[in-house]
Amino acid sequence: MKSVCQRGPCCAFLWFTGRRKEVRFLTYQLSNPGRLLHYPAHMEGQIWFLPRSLQLTGFQAYKLRVTHLYQLKQHNILASVGEDEEGINPLVKIWNLEKRDGGNPLCTRIFPAIPGTEPTVVSCLTVHENLNFMAIGFTDGSVTLNKGDITRDRHSKTQILHKGNYPVTGLAFRQAGKTTHLFVVTTENVQSYIVSGKDYPRVELDTHGCGLRCSALSDPSQDLQFIVAGDECVYLYQPDERGPCFAFEGHKLIAHWFRGYLVIVSRDRKVSPKSEFTSRDSQSSDKQILNIYDLCNKFIAYSAVFEDVVDVLAEWGSLYVLTRDGRVHALQEKDTQTKLEMLFKKNLFEMAINLAKSQHLDSDGLAQIFMQYGDHLYSKGNHDGAVQQYIRTIGKLEPSYVIRKFLDAQRIHNLTAYLQTLHRQSLANADHTTLLLNCYTKLKDSSKLEEFIKTKSESEVHFDVETAIKVLRQAGYYSHALYLAENHAHHEWYLKIQLEDIKNYQEALRYIGKLPFEQAESNMKRYGKILMHHIPEQTTQLLKGLCTDYRSSLEGRCNRETPGCRANSEEFIPIFANNPRELKAFLEHMSEVQPDSPQGIYDTLLELRLQNWAHEKDPQVKEKLHSEAISLLKSGRFCDVFDKALVLCQMHDFQDGVLYLYEQGKLFQQIMHYHMQHEQYRQVITVCERHGEQDPSLWEQALSYFARKEEDCKEYVAAVLKHIENKNLMPPLLVVQTLAHNSTATLSVIRDYLVQKLQKQSQQIAQDELRVRRYREETTRIRQEIQELKASPKIFQKTKCSICNSALELPSVHFLCGHSFHQHCFESYSESDADCPTCLPENRKVMDMIRAQEQKRDLHDQFQHQLKCSNDSFSVIADYFGRGVFNKLTLLTDPPTARLTPSLEAGLQRDLLMHSRRGT
């Protein structure tokens, strides 16, 4: 930002930069010799630096005078225009303030400002922040553009960009992306050039101009618009068109932009802008008005009258007004909070809001302003306006603060508006939803209520649906509550309203049929009893589908190929507590359609059939129920729950079922006892005949039973005795003792049995004596052969091999058992050199028996020892039983009269076994 003046007395410049935080003064001799603005006259051509410490430093920049300065904001580069000799011959010098040359800033470039040979005065100067563009305006209406690195001669090029008939009063570069524009304003027009291209296209923006120092470039808050302060209006321009204008009265002397504010110095009486280039001697000293405008918020931020303003400067965060009497007036911007407080005191809340937004106040600060504005309107009785301001505080201000103000019934409309907005922003809780719905219901505004609850999608819901359903249900708006419950899948609430409030059982059942499997199952468990009580047939039908192949009614028949879901039918049995007819239909359906149904289905079905059978009076129907119960028992579904089925049959005195289950469970003793209790003699014999092979003790029990009977049971006793004799089930003495208890049983009853028994025993004794004599003779013969083997030579006379039956040839192998082998046959088939291959299998069996006998003998001694020493004899016996020690084993033993001595050699034992094998 810069200030510009004409050549001549009574003028001074003040230039600032944001990097070095210094103010540079350019001084000229005034019309009154010996009086300077700040410094003596011999300081001509110098540039002074004034920091905040006010310690002046300077250097000689030109020999005669300095006319223009421009300091870049982003670089420590200073551009100056001045004169080193008399005449119109201005020079441009570029200074690098970071480098020094003999204590002074380094001058990197010097070139003449006049583009041609005709002398003209420089009127304004501007430099682009990228150091690639510099524009100089002249009083003859021409503008030169220096393109390239302005700090070096060989990297830059100077050319005339604009020629005109009116003095150039202002220049400004504007960067928009990669495009660079140059605004040029004269006393009569405003134009813009695109200087980043080659042809420099020009756009005529307006036919109104301005005087020197009456143009400026705004900041991004005003979209970098070019400001031209005319006498009638202040115009804003874009590179391609004119923007808005502001009718600020007065003759404009200075236009300046500072932190989003437009600073205008003007006076009331109008003077032609052209007079700025003539002489000011004719202008009398007049009061001047300094106005600071906030264009964004459209108010005057500051206004004051000054006398003879020389320039307005901006530095160190403040504005400085330099007047011709040598005074500097500092204008410091108040902080935002102070500004707002001033506006609050004047109740200018709208202006305060705009100010806060332009100052980028945070949302919390804005909410505080909205709250104060709402409180102000509320105190004035403007409740509609107040609630609009409170709405703007949503998210920052606690809703209860606003709600308490509008709880009055007369302000329910305002409260409704606030609560609606609270829900739209998804900041409402359950209490707010309840309050809003109560407002709708009290206002009886059904249209608003429907608009609130009937959203298009789940994402547009701004309230707690469950709370809304509760409030609507309580207020009696059942249709609205049902709409919410159905559309937002609150199935439990939908069914509660249908069943408890509306009593529409058919619709509730239809709704359950539309639900997915899991929800349909859970809701049938919850509401099944109510539905079964009022619509039993339809409920039973739905349960049949739910437990077999469930598909919701919404799926239709499109997915019949894929298997459906099925629930556990046993869990729904309690629903039929008071509906036995439907229960029977359900259970029979499940047993037929789904044979692998849970066991509870069959248990309940059996119990139900037995109950019906027990209470039925009609014989034909009772017989049918009997056959159904028996067929169910024979279905094989009660193998794992035998006891339960048996208890059911016993509870209902279903004797055929009890007997069938006894038979299936192999409880033959119970069957026998049943027939004995009912004195069914023939059935007792039948049971013994059918199951006596599996349980021989049945015959013994039958004999004991008939023996205790005082009636004439000779026929049944004879049948029992015949079977006992055939199977040898009881000793004769025990039979006699058993029948002795029956006073009607005579000797003739058992005479035939005793005679046959004695005859068989006599025959058995004769057979045993014959076998004993044969064994003794055989033993004697074997002992003689053993003795011959020990004392006499053995002659081998076999002529054929016992394996291949070929003629025996040497070398050959002979065994005492009489078998002979070729040596090669023996080596091929024998397992050891000492054993005969032919006798080995049988001898091995005998040897195993002998070893087992020896082990048994050892086990016997050990068993006797443990039995004597143990405190718990029964556990020792049980342990040996578990190990199979007492299993029956048949062994060959020596005759009691001729037991071999323990010192008999193992070889003789083997020979004896071989010989016995040969003898057999």
Side-chain angles (χ1 to χ4, degrees):
M1 204 174 292
K2 59 182 176 57
S3 299
V4 189
C5 74
Q6 67 175 24
R7 291 184 63 205
C10 301
C11 64
F13 284 89
L14 183 144
W15 175 91
F16 75 92
T17 173
R19 291 191 58 160
R20 294 178 59 95
K21 298 298 181 186
E22 297 176 344
V23 178
R24 285 113 189 196
F25 286 91
L26 179 65
T27 62
Y28 296 92
Q29 185 175 1
L30 299 175
S31 58
N32 184 6
R35 180 176 179 269
L36 295 177
L37 181 58
H38 287 290
Y39 310 107
H42 65 269
M43 295 181 181
E44 293 178 353
Q46 290 186 344
I47 297 177
W48 294 88
F49 301 97
L50 181 64
R52 300 192 77 165
S53 62
L54 302 180
Q55 298 295 325
L56 280 173
T57 60
F59 69 96
Q60 188 72 37
Y62 292 90
K63 296 179 180 179
L64 291 182
R65 63 183 63 87
V66 181
T67 59
H68 297 81
L69 292 176
Y70 192 94
Q71 168 71 52
L72 279 79
K73 298 179 181 178
Q74 300 178 9
H75 304 276
N76 214 2
I77 301 296
L78 175 65
S80 64
V81 178
E83 297 175 1
D84 283 339
E85 57 186 18
E86 293 293 342
I88 302 175
N89 187 23
L91 293 176
V92 178
K93 294 184 180 182
I94 308 299
W95 306 89
N96 189 339
L97 303 180
E98 293 180 348
K99 297 181 181 180
R100 294 291 171 176
D101 181 15
N104 296 329
L106 177 63
C107 183
T108 61
R109 185 182 177 192
I110 302 175
F111 62 93
I114 299 175
T117 57
E118 296 182 3
T120 181
V121 176
V122 175
S123 59
C124 51
L125 168 70
T126 187
V127 181
H128 198 288
E129 290 294 329
N130 62 11
L131 300 177
N132 287 326
F133 298 100
M134 181 170 63
I136 304 174
F138 298 91
T139 56
D140 63 355
S142 61
V143 177
T144 61
L145 177 66
N146 191 284
K147 191 173 183 181
D149 191 352
I150 64 170
T151 62
R152 300 180 182 180
D153 287 326
R154 54 181 168 176
H155 293 292
S156 63
K157 179 181 178 182
T158 303
Q159 54 186 325
I160 298 176
L161 178 67
H162 171 79
K163 286 187 177 181
N165 299 322
Y166 305 103
V168 177
T169 58
L171 298 171
F173 284 109
R174 182 184 188 272
Q175 188 71 37
K178 295 182 179 181
T179 304
T180 304
H181 295 88
L182 175 64
F183 290 100
V184 178
V185 59
T186 67
T187 56
E188 298 295 336
N189 54 39
V190 181
Q191 304 166 72
S192 71
Y193 290 87
I194 299 177
V195 297
S196 56
K198 294 182 179 180
D199 299 332
Y200 307 133
R202 182 177 69 91
V203 177
E204 182 85 18
L205 298 177
D206 209 340
T207 57
H208 301 281
C210 67
L212 284 171
R213 300 187 296 170
C214 292
S215 63
L217 188 69
S218 67
D219 57 20
S221 66
Q222 287 293 329
D223 199 18
L224 296 175
Q225 296 185 90
F226 187 60
I227 300 173
V228 175
D231 288 344
E232 297 178 356
C233 294
V234 174
Y235 301 93
L236 278 67
Y237 296 94
Q238 294 284 353
D240 53 353
E241 62 181 353
R242 191 178 81 176
C245 64
F246 300 91
F248 300 149
E249 297 180 353
H251 174 59
K252 310 303 185 298
L253 302 177
I254 298 174
H256 190 72
W257 186 265
F258 172 71
R259 288 188 176 182
Y261 297 101
L262 176 61
V263 182
I264 297 291
V265 178
S266 61
R267 61 169 172 259
D268 291 338
R269 64 188 187 88
K270 297 182 179 180
V271 179
S272 173
K274 294 182 181 180
S275 64
E276 291 283 339
F277 289 93
T278 58
S279 174
R280 294 200 176 190
D281 295 338
S282 61
Q283 301 175 11
S284 61
S285 177
D286 199 358
K287 298 289 184 179
Q288 298 173 356
I289 302 174
L290 184 144
N291 289 323
I292 300 178
Y293 300 97
D294 187 338
L295 299 183
C296 180
N297 300 312
K298 297 181 175 56
F299 67 89
I300 300 175
Y302 179 80
S303 180
V305 177
F306 291 89
E307 187 173 349
D308 239 351
V309 176
V310 175
D311 207 345
V312 178
L313 316 170
E315 185 56 47
W316 305 320
S318 302
L319 277 176
Y320 296 90
V321 181
L322 182 63
T323 57
R324 197 170 298 277
D325 58 2
R327 295 181 180 180
V328 176
H329 304 268
L331 302 180
Q332 293 182 349
E333 184 180 7
K334 295 181 182 294
D335 61 89
T336 304
Q337 189 61 36
T338 304
K339 298 178 190 175
L340 293 176
E341 290 175 357
M342 294 172 62
L343 294 173
F344 294 157
K345 291 179 181 179
K346 299 179 180 180
N347 294 327
L348 299 175
F349 290 99
E350 288 288 350
M351 191 174 293
I353 292 170
N354 295 333
L355 174 63
K357 290 180 179 179
S358 66
Q359 297 295 324
H360 305 290
L361 196 66
D362 60 10
S363 56
D364 293 333
L366 283 172
Q368 188 67 23
I369 299 174
F370 295 143
M371 184 193 72
Q372 294 186 37
Y373 192 15
D375 292 344
H376 171 71
L377 294 176
Y378 185 86
S379 63
K380 295 294 185 181
N382 185 1
H383 299 127
D384 294 338
V387 79
Q388 293 303 317
Q389 298 305 317
Y390 288 135
I391 286 174
R392 301 169 79 176
T393 66
I394 291 177
K396 300 298 180 181
L397 181 63
E398 178 62 34
S400 59
Y401 176 84
V402 180
I403 293 173
R404 283 195 299 267
K405 291 179 176 289
F406 295 97
L407 286 177
D408 193 303
Q410 296 179 353
R411 301 167 189 169
I412 193 171
H413 294 280
N414 303 126
L415 180 60
T416 303
Y418 179 80
L419 292 172
Q420 283 177 339
T421 309
L422 194 66
H423 281 79
R424 289 193 201 102
Q425 297 185 18
S426 302
L427 296 174
N429 57 28
D431 294 333
H432 300 149
T433 303
T434 303
L435 186 57
L436 178 59
L437 292 174
N438 285 328
C439 290
Y440 284 142
T441 55
K442 288 183 179 180
L443 292 172
K444 300 188 182 302
D445 193 346
S446 298
S447 59
K448 284 287 186 181
L449 180 59
E450 291 181 2
E451 181 184 353
F452 177 72
I453 66 174
K454 292 184 178 180
T455 53
K456 296 180 180 179
S457 64
E458 188 73 24
S459 60
E460 296 181 4
V461 177
H462 304 294
F463 56 90
D464 183 67
V465 176
E466 186 172 357
T467 301
I469 294 173
K470 292 179 182 178
V471 175
L472 292 172
R473 182 190 181 195
Q474 185 177 4
Y477 285 78
Y478 298 127
S479 60
H480 296 79
L482 287 174
Y483 174 84
L484 280 178
E486 184 174 7
N487 281 272
H488 297 281
H490 286 263
H491 309 307
E492 295 182 4
W493 282 107
Y494 184 91
L495 294 173
K496 277 185 180 180
I497 297 171
Q498 288 285 13
L499 295 174
E500 298 175 8
D501 300 325
I502 304 179
K503 311 293 185 182
N504 191 345
Y505 305 104
Q506 293 282 358
E507 181 61 27
L509 189 65
R510 181 197 64 79
Y511 184 81
I512 294 176
K514 296 192 304 180
L515 298 179
F517 170 74
E518 292 80 6
Q519 283 130 6
E521 180 185 18
S522 63
N523 283 290
M524 280 305 296
K525 290 178 181 178
R526 178 172 299 188
Y527 302 109
K529 288 186 178 180
I530 299 176
L531 295 171
M532 183 62 67
H533 177 71
H534 293 88
I535 45 174
E537 294 182 2
Q538 296 90 329
T539 305
T540 304
Q541 195 64 28
L542 178 59
L543 285 174
K544 289 179 181 179
L546 187 64
C547 297
T548 52
D549 187 18
Y550 178 77
R551 289 180 176 85
S552 67
S553 58
L554 296 179
E555 296 180 9
R557 301 181 180 272
C558 57
N559 295 326
R560 289 296 177 186
E561 297 180 358
T562 59
C565 302
R566 65 183 186 181
N568 185 354
S569 52
E570 186 177 2
E571 297 176 354
F572 295 97
I573 293 177
I575 294 176
F576 298 89
N578 299 318
N579 300 80
R581 184 170 61 88
E582 285 76 15
L583 175 60
K584 182 180 179 182
F586 174 73
L587 296 175
E588 290 177 347
H589 173 80
M590 294 305 302
S591 62
E592 294 173 3
V593 177
Q594 189 176 318
D596 59 341
S597 296
Q599 184 61 41
I601 293 294
Y602 293 94
D603 296 343
T604 309
L605 181 59
L606 176 62
E607 183 179 3
L608 188 62
R609 287 182 176 179
L610 291 176
Q611 286 179 356
N612 295 337
W613 174 84
H615 295 89
E616 184 58 48
K617 303 299 182 181
D618 189 346
Q620 295 181 352
V621 178
K622 193 177 186 71
E623 181 63 26
K624 181 181 178 182
L625 295 173
H626 178 277
S627 61
E628 289 179 353
I630 289 294
S631 63
L632 182 60
L633 287 172
K634 294 182 178 180
S635 64
R637 296 296 305 184
F638 299 93
C639 298
D640 298 333
V641 290
F642 171 82
D643 296 339
K644 187 174 183 180
L646 183 59
V647 170
L648 288 175
C649 293
Q650 291 173 343
M651 286 173 56
H652 297 87
D653 197 21
F654 190 62
Q655 300 300 334
D656 291 345
V658 172
L659 292 175
Y660 173 78
L661 292 174
Y662 281 160
E663 185 175 355
Q664 293 298 311
K666 297 183 180 181
L667 301 177
F668 309 128
Q669 301 288 341
Q670 283 77 359
I671 298 175
M672 177 73 77
H673 292 162
Y674 172 80
H675 291 304
M676 289 178 179
Q677 289 174 1
H678 292 79
E679 297 184 351
Q680 299 174 353
Y681 302 150
R682 177 54 56 187
Q683 296 298 329
V684 171
I685 299 299
T686 304
V687 171
C688 292
E689 291 174 350
R690 292 179 59 183
H691 308 297
E693 294 292 336
Q694 302 178 52
D695 188 0
S697 64
L698 294 177
W699 291 105
E700 301 176 11
Q701 294 180 20
L703 182 62
S704 300
Y705 170 71
F706 288 122
R708 293 188 183 92
K709 289 295 182 181
E710 297 298 330
E711 303 175 7
D712 187 6
C713 301
K714 295 180 180 180
E715 178 185 356
Y716 304 111
V717 172
V720 175
L721 288 175
K722 183 179 179 180
H723 192 84
I724 290 176
E725 178 187 357
N726 294 336
K727 299 296 183 178
N728 194 20
L729 299 177
M730 295 176 63
L733 183 59
L734 183 59
V735 172
V736 174
Q737 292 176 352
T738 302
L739 291 176
H741 297 289
N742 191 337
S743 59
T744 61
T746 60
L747 184 60
S748 61
V749 176
I750 61 172
R751 180 182 58 187
D752 296 337
Y753 166 76
L754 292 175
V755 170
Q756 293 177 5
K757 196 66 177 177
L758 292 173
Q759 290 176 353
K760 288 183 179 180
Q761 288 183 355
S762 298
Q763 293 174 1
Q764 183 67 34
I765 291 171
Q767 292 176 0
D768 290 342
E769 290 177 350
L770 180 62
R771 191 178 296 111
V772 169
R773 288 195 299 269
R774 187 173 66 250
Y775 286 160
R776 287 177 178 175
E777 292 173 357
E778 183 70 19
T779 302
T780 303
R781 182 180 60 78
I782 291 173
R783 290 181 182 278
Q784 291 175 356
E785 288 183 5
I786 293 173
Q787 186 64 28
E788 290 177 358
L789 289 174
K790 293 171 64 178
S792 303
K794 177 66 175 178
I795 300 174
F796 299 101
Q797 296 178 347
K798 293 280 289 189
T799 59
K800 291 185 178 181
C801 178
S802 298
I803 293 178
C804 64
N805 289 328
S806 300
L808 202 60
E809 298 176 355
L810 295 176
S812 59
V813 179
H814 304 275
F815 285 88
L816 293 177
C817 62
H819 295 111
S820 299
F821 307 93
H822 292 112
Q823 185 175 1
H824 63 274
C825 291
F826 174 74
E827 292 176 351
S828 300
Y829 290 93
S830 66
E831 295 183 7
S832 66
D833 295 340
D835 296 323
C836 172
T838 303
C839 300
L840 180 61
E842 190 66 27
N843 292 344
R844 184 174 292 167
K845 294 180 181 178
V846 177
M847 294 301 295
D848 290 342
M849 293 179 184
I850 294 173
R851 282 192 294 270
Q853 186 178 15
E854 293 175 351
Q855 292 177 2
K856 287 288 185 180
R857 186 182 300 113
D858 297 338
L859 286 174
H860 175 74
D861 297 339
Q862 182 181 358
F863 171 71
Q864 292 294 337
H865 176 72
Q866 290 185 5
L867 197 62
K868 291 179 181 179
C869 298
S870 176
N871 295 326
D872 188 1
S873 302
F874 180 77
S875 63
V876 175
I877 297 173
D879 180 57
Y880 275 84
F881 262 110
R883 290 157 56 184
V885 174
F886 300 107
N887 292 344
K888 186 177 181 181
L889 181 63
T890 304
L891 299 176
L892 289 177
T893 59
D894 294 331
T897 58
R899 187 177 298 276
L900 293 176
T901 60
S903 62
L904 188 61
E905 296 180 357
L908 284 177
Q909 291 183 9
R910 185 169 56 252
D911 294 340
L912 176 60
L913 291 171
M914 293 177 181
H915 184 76
S916 64
R917 171 61 180 167
R918 183 182 60 183
T920 58

